[in-house]
């Protein structure tokens, strides 16, 4: 199921982010999966997901323009399927 | 672990492979060999293990390395050796790492993984175990790992399954002899609730002397590639990227990460570019040096040079370069090729002429073929040696 702009997500408590030039490494200590967040804006979005905010509100906070939102939604979708983020 | 590349919101900053080639501020993961001591004497052993080195890092020094890795946010380490479970402080080191946000995966020949050890391991979070097995059947496995090694590994697998460890790994180095047993190996892993992991044989350590007769033939490389495609449940440690030149890229990071995203810390604290190049030419420094591991990783001349663009060679003009990236540095080095030459197992056959020129210790370009720098083999022990299964000495924290 695709991530929708109205969804409320949070970073999984077992996930750590390591800042990198390109964005960040995300590591899930529970399922031992490693993901690459390939853009600093995606990192900013993930970091601003606090469970209160909707995904669309997080996009607003970070300043993700309309044209880029669908690709960000699919990036979040991948992160949710590997349990890096989950429903709040 | 096949790293997963998250769908990229446009515009991409730079392709990830290019980012990794430039090196990161800290490794993504690293191999840490805790000891050169080993009860086995496998004929392919990349670290020529056997005897303990008296200069081994102490427990306190190991803890200090973990502290540094935690600061660097190195999320996990692959512990190996030698046989890591032979260290009396094995469990304290593992527990210290896990308590400091450094996940642990460790590799073992299984000899000391008895029922109690399995239970203890099963009770820990953020820990993964890899039992090494180089053949589904005892004759094939033991020809490389020594008599009794197959039984020891299977016993360890049973203990892990009985203890409810969950999905541990069974790790196989693919050889000419076991490539036909892959289906069986996969079934064997699955019947213990484990996942199969297959990796590439390198001509490293004692493997320098056995590589040529153990490495898969060209036809077997093709067979392996076809077998791997579509078997996403089989892990590869991203070690077969040279096979990607057959066509479709295999999943994972398809590049040599040595000194860029991975490295090796050996039992005495020496830092090498990767686990397969234990040789002075690839020695970057020591964790006991001022500035510790961090300084070695960030400032060593060797690692800086490995992060520079590849020099021109036969590979950079090859149509498959994007897929294969010229292959494995360690494999080239220990068979007497230049690092700008094609991989000795180049699937297009582009290294065959060069390999044909290697003769009697003289490499393809007239230099001596490098020998592994250190040999920890136990004197007088035949390789592979018979293994006596001793009762496991209890090693508690
Ligand atoms: C060096 S051992 C150390 C840990 C432990 N003693 C064991 O055997 O698992 C780590 C892994 O490297 C594999 N290995 C040994 N020699 C190798 C070589 N020349 N090329 C590739 N892998 C090798 C072993 O089979 C094992 O799975
Ligand atoms: S590969 Fe064999 S000899 Fe080498 S460390 Fe592992 S069990 Fe020991
Ligand atoms: S020539 Fe080099 S890049 Fe091309 S397939 Fe062979 S090893 Fe790979």
């Amino acid at each position: 199921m695709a991530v929708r702009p109205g969804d409320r997500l949070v970073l999984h408590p077992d996930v750590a982010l390591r800042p990198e030039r390109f964005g960040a490494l995300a590591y899930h200590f529970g399922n031992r999966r490693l993901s690459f967040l390939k853009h600093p804006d995606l990192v900013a979005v993930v970091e601003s997901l606090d469970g209160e905010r909707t995904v669309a509100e997080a996009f607003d906070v970070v300043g993700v323009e309309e044209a880029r939102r669908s690709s960000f939604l699919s990036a979040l979708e991948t992160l949710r399927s590997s349990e890096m983020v989950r429903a709040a | 672990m096949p790293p997963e590349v998250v769908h990229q919101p446009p515009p991409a900053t730079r392709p990830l492979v290019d980012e990794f080639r430039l090196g990161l501020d800290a490794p993504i993961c690293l191999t840490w060999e805790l000891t050169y001591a080993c009860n086995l004497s496998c004929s392919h052993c990349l670290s020529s293990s056997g005897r303990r080195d008296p200069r081994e890092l102490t427990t306190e020094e190991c803890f200090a390395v973990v502290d540094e890795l935690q600061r660097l946010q190195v999320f996990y380490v692959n512990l190996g050796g030698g046989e890591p479970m032979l260290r009396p402080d094995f469990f304290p080191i593992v527990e210290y790492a896990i308590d400091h946000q450094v996940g642990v995966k460790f590799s073992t020949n299984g000899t000391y993984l008895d029922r109690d050890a399995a239970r203890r391991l099963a009770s820990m979070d953020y820990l993964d175990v890899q039992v090494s097995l180089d053949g589904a059947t005892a004759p094939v496995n033991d020809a490389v790992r020594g008599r009794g090694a197959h039984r020891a590994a299977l016993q360890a697998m049973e203990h892990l399954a009985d203890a409810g460890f969950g999905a541990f790994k069974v790790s196989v180095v693919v050889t000419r002899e076991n490539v036909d047993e892959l289906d069986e190996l996969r079934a064997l892993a699955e019947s213990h609730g484990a996942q199969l992991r297959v990796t590439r044989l390198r001509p490293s350590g004692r493997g320098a002397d056995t590589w040529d007769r153990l490495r898969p033939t060209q036809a077997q490389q093709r067979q392996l590639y076809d077998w791997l495609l579509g078997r996403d449940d089989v892990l590869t440690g991203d070690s077969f990227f040279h096979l990607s030149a057959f066509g479709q890229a295999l999943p994972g990071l398809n590049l040599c990460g040595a000194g860029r995203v991975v490295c090796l810390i050996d039992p005495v604290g020496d830092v090498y570019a990767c686990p397969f190049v234990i040789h002075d030419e690839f020695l970057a420094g020591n964790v006991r040096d001022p500035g510790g591991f961090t300084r070695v990783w960030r400032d060593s001349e060797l690692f800086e040079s490995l992060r520079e663009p590849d020099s021109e060679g036969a590979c950079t003009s090859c149509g498959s370069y994007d897929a294969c990236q010229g292959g494995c540095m360690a494999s080239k080095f220990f068979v007497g090729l230049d690092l700008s030459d094609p991989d000795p197992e180049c699937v297009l056959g582009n290294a065959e002429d060069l390999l044909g020129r290697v003769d009697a210790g003289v490499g393809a370009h007239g230099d001596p073929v490098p020998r592994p720098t250190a040999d920890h083999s136990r004197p007088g022990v035949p390789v592979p040696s018979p293994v006596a299964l001793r009762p496991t000495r209890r090693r508690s924290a």
Side-chain angles (χ1 to χ4, degrees):
Chain A
M1 205 186 59
V3 169
R4 286 163 312 189
D7 289 350
R8 287 186 169 78
L9 301 173
V10 280
L11 194 64
H12 193 289
D14 278 352
V15 173
L17 295 179
R18 183 175 108 183
E20 297 291 345
R21 278 189 303 265
F22 55 84
L25 284 180
Y27 184 68
H28 192 305
F29 283 93
N31 64 24
R32 295 186 209 95
R33 292 172 90 158
L34 181 70
S35 286
F36 302 108
L37 275 53
K38 295 207 293 171
H39 197 288
D41 287 348
L42 180 59
V43 183
V45 167
V46 167
E47 282 174 334
S48 71
L49 295 171
D50 56 4
E52 298 286 319
R53 246 177 225 132
T54 64
V55 166
E57 285 160 356
F59 289 165
D60 290 339
V61 171
V62 176
V64 179
E65 315 82 37
E66 208 48 54
R68 293 199 294 159
R69 291 195 176 188
S70 71
S71 67
F72 273 70
L73 285 173
S74 54
L76 288 173
E77 175 54 30
T78 315
L79 289 174
R80 190 170 63 181
S81 64
S82 52
E83 297 170 61
M84 295 287 169
V85 297
R86 63 181 188 187
Chain B
M1 157 173 359
E4 185 174 325
V5 179
V6 167
H7 181 77
Q8 173 66 54
T13 31
R14 196 192 331 228
L16 267 193
V17 178
D18 292 344
E19 287 290 348
F20 293 160
R21 253 199 230 119
L22 294 169
L24 302 181
D25 284 348
I28 293 180
C29 71
L30 56 83
T31 300
W32 183 4
E33 293 179 347
L34 290 181
T35 180
Y36 280 122
C38 192
N39 59 310
L40 301 190
S41 2
C42 304
S43 67
H44 64 347
C45 183
L46 58 92
S47 51
S48 307
S49 284
R51 280 169 301 153
R52 179 180 174 274
D53 189 311
R55 299 165 303 161
E56 234 168 49
L57 297 180
T58 64
T59 311
E60 286 308 314
E61 285 175 314
C62 289
F63 290 174
V65 169
V66 171
D67 291 341
E68 246 191 299
L69 299 180
Q70 179 183 25
R71 280 197 296 277
L72 291 171
Q73 285 195 282
V74 175
F75 296 130
Y76 67 98
V77 289
N78 301 303
L79 297 183
E83 176 48 49
M85 294 188 80
L86 271 174
R87 265 193 81 124
D89 53 3
F90 171 71
F91 277 103
I93 293 171
V94 170
E95 280 158 1
Y96 189 87
I98 291 169
D99 288 345
H100 289 78
Q101 283 79 53
V102 178
V104 170
K105 181 163 93 179
F106 81 91
S107 184
T108 175
N109 63 36
T111 308
Y112 304 103
L113 215 169
D114 61 9
R115 184 159 286 133
D116 288 345
R119 288 207 187 109
R120 186 160 178 187
L121 295 169
S123 72
M124 293 158 76
D125 285 332
Y126 311 137
L127 173 77
D128 200 5
V129 184
Q130 225 166 259
V131 178
S132 296
L133 190 67
D134 291 327
T137 52
V140 172
N141 177 78
D142 293 0
V144 170
R145 302 189 71 88
R147 190 142 36 98
H150 186 265
R151 191 164 51 107
L154 268 118
Q155 244 163 42
M157 288 163 61
E158 270 157 37
H159 290 318
L160 286 170
D162 290 347
F165 183 86
F168 65 96
K169 313 288 181 290
V170 173
S171 195
V172 175
V173 179
V174 180
T175 66
R176 196 168 299 182
E177 309 301 327
N178 69 21
V179 69
D180 291 323
E181 296 188 335
L182 290 176
D183 283 317
E184 254 177 283
L185 284 159
R186 180 152 158 267
L188 194 59
E190 274 169 13
S191 68
H192 291 78
Q195 199 175 4
L196 179 65
R197 175 176 188 268
V198 295
T199 60
R200 180 176 176 192
L201 174 74
R202 308 318 201 290
S204 315
R206 284 193 292 266
D209 299 324
T210 48
W211 176 82
D212 207 36
R213 83 181 145 79
L214 284 177
R215 69 182 166 121
T217 63
Q218 277 291 10
Q220 288 176 330
Q221 293 213 86
R222 177 79 216 195
Q223 175 188 337
L224 172 63
Y225 172 76
D226 290 337
W227 191 84
L228 285 174
L229 283 182
R231 282 202 174 73
D232 293 346
D233 59 310
V234 176
L235 304 171
T236 61
D238 298 347
S239 63
F240 290 112
F241 58 91
H242 75 296
L243 297 182
S244 293
F246 275 128
Q248 193 183 330
L250 295 168
L253 271 189
N254 287 308
L255 98 159
C256 164
R260 298 155 158 172
V261 299
V262 301
C263 70
L264 167 80
I265 302 178
D266 94 338
V268 302
D270 281 341
V271 181
Y272 293 93
C274 99
F276 303 103
V277 284
I278 305 185
H279 187 281
D280 288 346
E281 260 191 60
F282 295 96
L283 176 58
N286 188 288
V287 301
R288 286 166 167 152
D289 296 343
F293 172 76
T294 311
R295 176 129 169 231
V296 175
W297 177 264
R298 293 193 176 153
D299 297 339
S300 83
E301 269 173 50
L302 171 71
F303 285 0
E304 281 179 359
S305 73
L306 290 174
R307 294 162 193 166
E308 274 160 19
D310 295 334
S311 49
E312 285 291 316
C315 288
T316 43
S317 57
C318 167
S320 296
Y321 184 73
D322 277 349
C324 148
Q325 303 276 334
C328 169
M329 180 179 84
S331 294
K332 300 179 200 196
F333 182 73
F334 283 122
V335 300
L337 303 187
D338 270 357
L339 301 190
S340 57
D341 286 337
D343 189 291
E345 297 181 278
C346 168
V347 300
L348 305 179
N350 286 338
E352 268 152 37
D353 284 350
L354 289 165
L355 278 181
R357 270 186 248 157
V358 179
D359 186 35
V362 180
H365 305 279
D367 300 319
V369 178
R371 296 291 302 163
T373 314
D375 186 1
H376 310 273
S377 305
R378 279 168 291 145
V381 176
V383 173
S385 74
V387 22
L389 275 186
R390 312 170 228 166
T392 308
R393 276 164 268 161
R394 274 306 323 137
R395 289 153 198 287
S396 50

